[in-house]
Amino acid sequence: MAATAVATPEVLRECGCKGIRTCLICERQRGGDPPWQHQVRKTHRFIYHADTGWAVGAEESDFEGWAFPFPGVTLIEDFVTPAEEAEMVRLMDRDPWKLSQSGRRKQDYGPKVNFRKRKLKTAGFRGLPSFSREVVRRMGLYPVLEDFRPVEQCNLDYCPERGSAIDPHLDDTWLWGERLVSLNLLSPSVLSMSREAPGSLLLGLAPSGFPQAPAEGATAPGRSVPCREVEVAVPLPRRALLVLTRAARHQWKHAIHRRHIGARRVSATFRELSAEFGPSGRQRELGQELLQTSLSFQGRPT
């Protein structure tokens, strides 16, 4: 008697994708012409230069030689040593990684949060991992992070075999505060930033040698480009620490495209509390509890 084929239930896929999110694994399993759509590439690409703070039109593009100030991005190269990087990833890999959307895997060290209902649970949260103690201490040596006290750490694992990526998004502002801090490990990548606001960006000629960027809004306009057609590429060197604040945190969505994952990449993102959970906030007592737990550095992935 011929064996009867048994269909594999949809829930038994090898990825964590839901809804319109996909990765290479579920794309291969579904086959045929996909009913979902990938993000359309922006028309105009600008490259962020960390030494000046300018976003400069890509070479051989319509806006080559044109630029605009791009405030709110701080990049600290070689934040950890190669030995520290290897040890951090080794310790991460001792704990299980959970399947996540778009081909990623994740480890969370933080409270369980329902952002839609604005509720959180602290059960099971025991703090950031012990191997992050030195990383957090070192952050405080830089002026942009001297009072940074993270209450959550999220590790994300990307690999080209899964088609890992993360769609353009803005991080929550109810619980998470002004600064988003991310450590880029194992391979270089690119953070792609886009803005869906109406209107246009005013551009000025990028002076020879790219001098120090002027104050926000101080560029003398010479051309303009619709905001919605622009993508700013922020190069992320291996072992670099990225800090997003101001417009880069609140107005420009950030993403990691599949095409920018050429080898395994691990990111560790640290988030601080919003003013609502600060010393003068409505939920200051809960905020203090979260901070005490977080900075005990006794955590395991929740």
Side-chain angles (χ1 to χ4, degrees):
M1 180 181 296
T4 302
V6 179
T8 302
E10 184 72 8
V11 296
L12 297 182
R13 294 177 300 160
E14 298 176 4
C15 70
C17 297
K18 300 176 182 178
I20 63 172
R21 306 287 187 262
T22 68
C23 66
L24 285 178
I25 294 173
C26 58
E27 288 167 17
R28 293 191 189 107
Q29 291 176 348
R30 294 180 186 184
D33 294 328
W36 57 93
Q37 297 292 326
H38 294 292
Q39 292 287 334
V40 177
R41 293 194 187 191
K42 297 290 184 177
T43 306
H44 304 294
R45 191 166 186 261
F46 288 73
I47 312 300
Y48 177 76
H49 290 253
D51 55 340
T52 65
W54 287 83
V56 181
E59 293 183 3
E60 300 184 358
S61 73
D62 291 343
F63 291 99
E64 180 179 4
W66 294 85
F68 62 96
F70 196 75
V73 177
T74 301
L75 197 63
I76 304 169
E77 296 194 35
D78 297 314
F79 186 77
V80 295
T81 67
E84 290 170 332
E85 172 191 50
E87 180 64 4
M88 285 185 69
V89 175
R90 185 188 72 81
L91 292 172
M92 290 178 189
D93 285 341
R94 291 197 313 181
D95 286 320
W97 292 88
K98 293 182 180 180
L99 293 174
S100 187
Q101 302 260 40
S102 303
R104 303 185 305 275
R105 299 189 302 166
K106 67 177 180 179
Q107 294 174 336
D108 285 319
Y109 298 85
K112 297 289 186 181
V113 186
N114 185 321
F115 291 107
R116 184 176 60 84
K117 295 182 178 180
R118 294 194 167 188
K119 293 183 178 181
L120 61 84
K121 297 179 180 179
T122 60
F125 176 43
R126 296 171 52 194
L128 302 189
S130 59
F131 58 79
S132 291
R133 184 187 296 272
E134 172 58 20
V135 171
V136 172
R137 184 201 68 80
R138 194 173 301 171
M139 289 178 187
L141 301 178
Y142 296 86
V144 69
L145 294 172
E146 61 184 356
D147 59 347
F148 183 72
R149 296 191 296 167
V151 74
E152 192 249 13
Q153 177 178 334
C154 178
N155 302 333
L156 293 178
D157 178 84
Y158 298 74
C159 80
E161 292 78 13
R162 296 194 302 269
S164 302
I166 191 165
D167 287 349
H169 66 283
L170 291 171
D171 278 39
D172 167 77
T173 57
W174 164 66
L175 180 59
W176 308 136
E178 173 63 20
R179 292 163 291 190
L180 301 179
V181 182
S182 188
L183 182 59
N184 187 58
L185 303 174
L186 295 185
S187 66
S189 190
V190 175
L191 189 75
S192 297
M193 307 197 71
S194 58
R195 187 175 176 183
E196 297 303 321
S200 297
L201 289 167
L202 301 180
L203 307 177
L205 284 172
S208 177
F210 303 128
Q212 186 66 31
E216 184 175 356
T219 302
R223 295 179 69 182
S224 64
V225 58
C227 272
R228 292 174 177 171
E229 297 180 5
V230 169
E231 183 172 83
V232 177
V234 180
L236 298 178
R238 182 174 178 176
R239 295 186 295 278
L241 190 77
L242 174 74
V243 184
L244 298 182
T245 63
R246 296 188 288 161
R249 157 74 166 104
H250 299 287
Q251 298 175 17
W252 289 80
K253 294 182 178 181
H254 55 276
I256 298 287
H257 296 315
R258 184 182 294 183
R259 63 183 179 273
H260 291 142
I261 300 297
R264 187 187 181 193
R265 172 187 183 253
V266 170
S267 68
T269 298
F270 301 83
R271 297 178 175 92
E272 64 184 341
L273 289 170
S274 68
E276 180 170 338
F277 295 84
S280 301
R282 187 172 61 87
Q283 302 200 58
R284 57 185 177 275
E285 292 182 2
L286 177 56
Q288 185 60 33
E289 177 189 343
L290 289 170
L291 275 172
Q292 289 178 348
T293 301
S294 172
L295 299 180
S296 70
F297 296 100
Q298 299 178 9
R300 299 290 299 276
T302 56

